[in-house]
Amino acid sequence: MECSTRQEGKFMIVTLAGEVDLHYSPEARKQILAQLNDKNHVLVDLSGVEYIDSSGIASLVEGFQLARSKQLEFGLVGVSEAARQVLELARLDKVFQIKATIAEFIDH
Amino acid sequence: MSTSLALESIKPSDLPAPPQAALEMLRACSNEDTDNRTLAGFAESDPVLTAEILRVVNTPLFGIGKEVTSVRGAITLLGSRALRNIILCLMVREAAQNHTRENFDITLFWEDSLRRAVAASILARACKLDKDDAFTAAIMQDFGLLVLFYLNPDTEVSYSELRQMNPQARRDKEMLLFGLGHDELISVMAQNWCLPNELAEPLTTHHQIESSSSTMAKILYCVDWVDAVFNVANINQTIQQCRELLDQLLDIDEDQLQEIFVALPEKVAQAAHAMGLRIKQQSDFEQLMRQANSMLAKENISYQELTWKLEKTIAERDQLSAELNREIEIAQQVQRKLMPEARDASFPIHGLNLPARTISGDFYDVVELQNGNIWFTIGDVSGKGINAGITMAKTVSLFHCLAKHTQDPATLIRMLNNEICESTTRGIFVSMVLGIYNPADKTVQLVNAGHLPVIIDDLNKGIITYPSSDQPIGILANTDYQAYPPISLQKGTLYLYSDGVTESRMEDGEMLRQAGLIELIDRHRDIPVHERLEVMVDEILTETSLHDDLTLLLLEP
């Protein structure tokens, strides 16, 4: 898994790529939570995700819950087909704010 | 680092030389034609030398028994060769006193030289060689080193440091410091000192014993190691090397070497007295061995301690691991207890849970109500391990308890969601299906909260799936969940399963997926329901090993 962060507008973009599984999701979780604890609005870019398991989804859920408690924005962007299937199957598309591009979040 | 010396650049005048009278005597001693009277005449022309010769001869070292009062008498008793050797030793002593430097501790040098000399004379006797020649050669053996220090006053390493090395390392260090070994220097001095060949040859070759046929050279090499035993830090190792060398080169066994070690201190003191040299009180060999053994014991103790600590740590680790395994086993038993026991064939619901790890994140449960309705559920906690196991236990317990107070799936899942949301951490959520079966009209009402699609195999309508309509529980409190309208199971069977089933890898490496499960259902439709469950699980497991928790639940009226 690759994990990187960058700023765009008011958002910190955390980009996850490759396989986000039990082995790598702790790193994803660490990056997401660190940004939120620094009081940043966070978008997680999932465009490069080839596989995501429930531990990876749990990292996103934890990010969602923390953002909510801190009244910060949290969204998913560029969700890959592999990630989309998992999110839709569990109806997590009802939980997360999901948009195709970062611009859509910024313009919102 | 001192400037290294080239052998050819050293002039005889740079080197210590004996006084003229002594030199003439040495020449005369080496000449077989010289008679005792002439020889005595040479010696007596130098009163100081005469006095010294007589003093040496009358010491217990020679053990003559009666006092010798003239050089002539000494020659008569000992022979000209012995006289030559006495003169040589005295000359070395004089030259050494006049050619020392600050970093060359002459007392230590004599201590080493005398120890080598005494050991050499004992070894020479054992090898049937002239013991006095051996004594003299050994006295001269390291004289070259003294000269090297003298010619290089700024040498950064002192003699006392150098002598703590074993002979081989010390010789290598000499080459590094001086560009020249003491044995090479002695070859230049041999001429100056009119050294007879029986001394010059072993002195120049005692560090090339592989190519030397001289037993005397081998003796000189061996006594270097004997002396080293008294100087180096690693006594035990040096003694061992010493034993091997003496055995290989001189055929001297361990007991003989032991005798030499034991005899050395007293004989060295005797020789020092004979040569008029002052050396420190010699430690006896037993004392040295006691030190060495206590060092060895200390090392052994610390090694044993280390081994003991390691064994203890391993035992503690094993004990902790065993305790942890016991705890996990208990957790597993508790989990198993939380899931319903197998029912007889007449019961409509049959389930199976196989944990891939010891603690499962999957669960299923059945609760029979007093009115005959039956609650059932299947679920999967996100993530793995103890965290997932605890959440699973809580969810099942809550389900089991709360199911007795309602008959509405949407209400029950809402209650469960609010309870789980209060306690989960780290984003853990639970995907689950729960439903209530009415045996009277053979209908089910169910809600799918983020779980895999429910499959109903209906004999009339075929396969119908009921995908998740809502999100998993544990994410957001106060979420509304929608139940599916009542579903008739008059001619149908309901299948609930975890992703351990659909993500099982088949022989071709592909996942079973929902399509594979439906195909499996299709093939085993005619088997009685309680047997069908096991047949299906067996088939999945014959094709794959268990990678994920696997749970399957069937409801057939």
Side-chain angles (χ1 to χ4, degrees):
Chain A
M1 189 201 75
E2 291 158 35
C3 190
S4 61
T5 52
R6 67 176 199 281
Q7 185 151 19
E8 213 158 301
K10 64 173 181 178
F11 292 103
M12 284 305 294
I13 317 295
V14 179
T15 304
L16 307 182
E19 300 195 346
V20 189
D21 56 14
L22 198 62
H23 189 64
Y24 291 111
S25 47
E27 179 58 25
R29 171 180 184 266
K30 200 171 116 190
Q31 294 284 344
I32 293 167
L33 299 190
Q35 294 307 327
L36 291 168
N37 284 323
D38 283 349
K39 299 192 171 64
N40 291 316
H41 301 291
V42 171
L43 297 180
V44 184
D45 184 341
L46 300 175
S47 54
V49 170
E50 291 157 15
Y51 173 79
I52 186 163
D53 72 357
S54 68
S55 67
I57 297 291
S59 303
L60 299 178
V61 167
E62 194 177 1
F64 164 79
Q65 290 168 329
L66 185 64
R68 209 175 147 83
S69 71
K70 288 182 178 287
Q71 296 181 312
L72 292 166
E73 284 185 52
F74 184 86
L76 308 182
V77 69
V79 179
S80 69
E81 181 58 20
R84 191 185 58 77
Q85 279 182 8
V86 177
L87 291 170
E88 283 183 0
L89 193 69
R91 296 316 309 266
L92 287 163
D93 51 337
K94 289 173 81 172
V95 176
F96 295 112
Q97 275 203 73
I98 301 175
K99 292 190 194 302
T101 62
I102 296 164
E104 287 174 61
F105 274 103
I106 293 172
D107 297 341
H108 182 65
Chain B
M1 176 92 39
S2 307
T3 317
S4 61
L5 296 167
L7 200 54
E8 53 275 14
S9 71
I10 297 172
K11 296 188 285 290
S13 57
D14 296 331
L15 303 174
Q20 196 55 35
L23 209 53
E24 279 173 16
M25 268 197 78
L26 289 171
R27 279 201 199 101
C29 285
S30 304
N31 186 349
E32 284 174 6
D33 297 335
T34 312
D35 58 32
N36 289 358
R37 183 183 296 179
T38 317
L39 202 54
F42 277 124
E44 281 155 3
S45 68
D46 185 336
V48 179
L49 184 62
T50 304
E52 271 303 279
I53 291 169
L54 292 177
R55 193 188 63 76
V56 171
V57 169
N58 285 311
T59 60
L61 189 69
F62 286 89
I64 291 172
K66 60 172 186 179
E67 194 182 357
V68 180
T69 52
S70 69
V71 174
R72 202 168 155 186
I75 299 166
T76 310
L77 280 167
L78 301 169
S80 62
R81 193 160 168 158
L83 183 69
R84 177 203 68 189
N85 287 339
I86 292 169
I87 294 169
L88 270 174
C89 289
L90 291 172
M91 292 307 101
V92 169
R93 186 191 73 181
E94 292 312 307
Q97 309 293 23
N98 299 325
H99 292 84
T100 59
R101 297 286 186 188
E102 239 176 63
N103 57 357
F104 195 92
D105 186 329
I106 193 77
T107 315
L108 293 177
F109 172 75
W110 281 125
E111 196 179 300
D112 293 331
S113 295
L114 288 167
R115 204 179 282 128
R116 279 191 287 263
V118 170
S121 72
I122 300 173
L123 288 172
R125 189 182 284 168
C127 297
K128 300 190 170 43
L129 292 177
D130 188 311
K131 69 179 178 60
D132 294 334
D133 278 4
F135 185 96
T136 310
I139 282 286
M140 302 194 79
Q141 183 171 343
D142 267 16
F143 187 59
L145 186 58
L146 177 140
V147 178
L148 286 170
F149 268 92
Y150 180 74
L151 295 175
N152 295 273
D154 299 325
T155 305
E156 61 200 20
V157 177
S158 68
Y159 175 73
S160 60
E161 289 167 311
L162 211 57
R163 76 198 278 266
Q164 289 170 26
M165 298 177 181
N166 75 47
Q168 204 51 55
R170 200 189 67 176
R171 174 79 177 24
D172 294 343
K173 187 73 178 175
E174 264 176 52
M175 294 304 291
L176 209 65
L177 288 171
F178 309 116
L180 194 63
H182 61 278
D183 46 324
E184 291 173 288
L185 194 70
I186 211 82
S187 67
V188 180
M189 291 178 62
Q191 291 176 333
N192 271 13
W193 285 61
C194 294
L195 286 185
N197 195 46
E198 65 263 26
L199 295 183
E201 206 261 330
L203 282 171
T204 53
T205 61
H206 73 277
H207 277 287
Q208 291 107 45
I209 46 160
E210 295 87 3
S211 56
S212 172
S213 57
S214 158
T215 307
M216 190 65 90
K218 289 173 185 165
I219 288 176
L220 296 185
Y221 182 66
C222 288
V223 296
D224 250 350
W225 282 89
V226 171
D227 176 48
V229 168
F230 292 80
N231 300 333
V232 297
N234 193 345
I235 300 172
N236 291 296
Q237 196 185 344
T238 311
I239 288 180
Q240 190 51 38
Q241 276 167 302
C242 214
R243 277 183 191 143
E244 285 166 17
L245 274 173
L246 264 72
D247 180 47
Q248 285 164 17
L249 298 176
L250 305 173
D251 203 22
I252 298 289
D253 66 26
E254 212 177 306
D255 293 342
Q256 287 172 287
L257 178 62
Q258 181 73 12
E259 279 170 30
I260 294 171
F261 280 135
V262 173
L264 269 177
E266 196 191 325
K267 285 194 180 295
V268 166
Q270 224 171 42
H273 172 67
M275 283 190 65
L277 291 166
R278 264 213 310 248
I279 56 166
K280 277 190 246 156
Q281 171 103 31
Q282 296 294 289
S283 334
D284 71 38
F285 188 65
E286 264 185 51
Q287 193 182 334
L288 201 70
M289 281 316 290
R290 269 200 301 278
Q291 277 172 14
N293 286 336
S294 80
M295 255 168 63
L296 199 66
K298 220 187 251 177
E299 281 167 11
N300 276 342
I301 287 167
S302 46
Y303 176 74
Q304 276 170 0
E305 250 176 43
L306 203 67
T307 312
W308 180 75
K309 277 184 189 162
L310 192 65
E311 280 171 359
K312 198 173 156 219
T313 308
I314 290 171
E316 280 171 359
R317 186 205 61 186
D318 289 348
Q319 196 188 340
L320 284 174
S321 162
E323 278 171 21
L324 189 66
N325 282 337
R326 268 199 300 278
E327 295 294 322
I328 290 173
E329 214 173 291
I330 291 167
Q332 203 179 8
Q333 284 169 6
V334 170
Q335 278 202 317
R336 245 185 261 128
K337 216 55 186 151
L338 288 171
M339 285 186 255
E341 285 177 12
R343 303 293 292 265
D344 61 45
S346 64
F347 195 70
I349 301 174
H350 299 275
L352 193 71
N353 165 263
L354 299 173
R357 293 180 171 204
T358 39
I359 297 178
S360 178
D362 278 12
F363 61 88
Y364 79 94
D365 196 16
V366 175
V367 178
E368 290 175 80
L369 299 179
Q370 280 182 338
N371 63 5
N373 288 352
I374 307 166
W375 276 107
F376 58 88
T377 185
I378 188 167
D380 183 1
V381 180
S382 65
K384 303 269 184 283
I386 291 183
N387 238 342
I390 291 170
T391 308
M392 170 268 178
K394 181 164 186 181
T395 311
V396 177
S397 305
L398 281 170
F399 169 80
H400 210 83
C401 180
L402 295 173
K404 290 164 188 164
H405 301 284
T406 178
Q407 305 219 21
D408 175 36
T411 305
L412 183 54
I413 195 91
R414 224 178 359 254
M415 286 157 75
L416 283 171
N417 178 50
N418 288 344
E419 289 293 331
I420 296 296
C421 276
E422 274 182 24
S423 60
T424 53
T425 56
R426 299 175 73 98
I428 286 182
F429 57 88
V430 186
S431 70
M432 68 190 292
V433 173
L434 57 80
I436 185 162
Y437 172 63
N438 181 345
D441 61 6
K442 297 182 181 165
T443 58
V444 289
Q445 279 184 279
L446 56 85
V447 58
N448 186 344
H451 201 73
L452 296 164
V454 176
I455 297 174
I456 290 182
D457 177 26
D458 191 287
L459 290 177
N460 297 330
K461 298 176 191 161
I463 297 287
I464 308 161
T465 60
Y466 295 86
S468 165
S469 51
D470 292 296
Q471 69 206 46
I473 66 165
I475 297 175
L476 204 55
N478 302 317
T479 301
D480 274 332
Y481 289 85
Q482 297 294 322
Y484 277 104
I487 303 159
S488 170
L489 290 180
Q490 286 287 354
K491 298 274 182 193
T493 309
L494 179 139
Y495 289 89
L496 297 175
Y497 52 94
S498 67
D499 57 4
V501 173
T502 47
E503 289 179 9
S504 291
R505 298 263 171 197
M506 299 295 100
E507 228 172 9
D508 56 6
E510 290 295 313
M511 286 184 188
L512 181 71
R513 300 191 188 281
Q514 191 178 304
L517 177 61
I518 290 170
E519 191 268 330
L520 208 60
I521 292 168
D522 196 40
R523 270 195 291 122
H524 299 301
R525 187 175 288 123
D526 298 332
I527 303 174
V529 64
H530 66 285
E531 287 174 27
R532 197 185 314 149
L533 176 74
E534 284 184 18
V535 169
M536 286 174 73
V537 171
D538 282 351
E539 194 163 315
I540 292 164
L541 290 180
T542 50
E543 297 218 28
T544 182
S545 59
L546 200 60
H547 288 297
D548 197 359
D549 303 333
L550 189 152
T551 310
L552 186 61
L553 187 140
L554 275 65
L555 194 171
E556 191 171 281

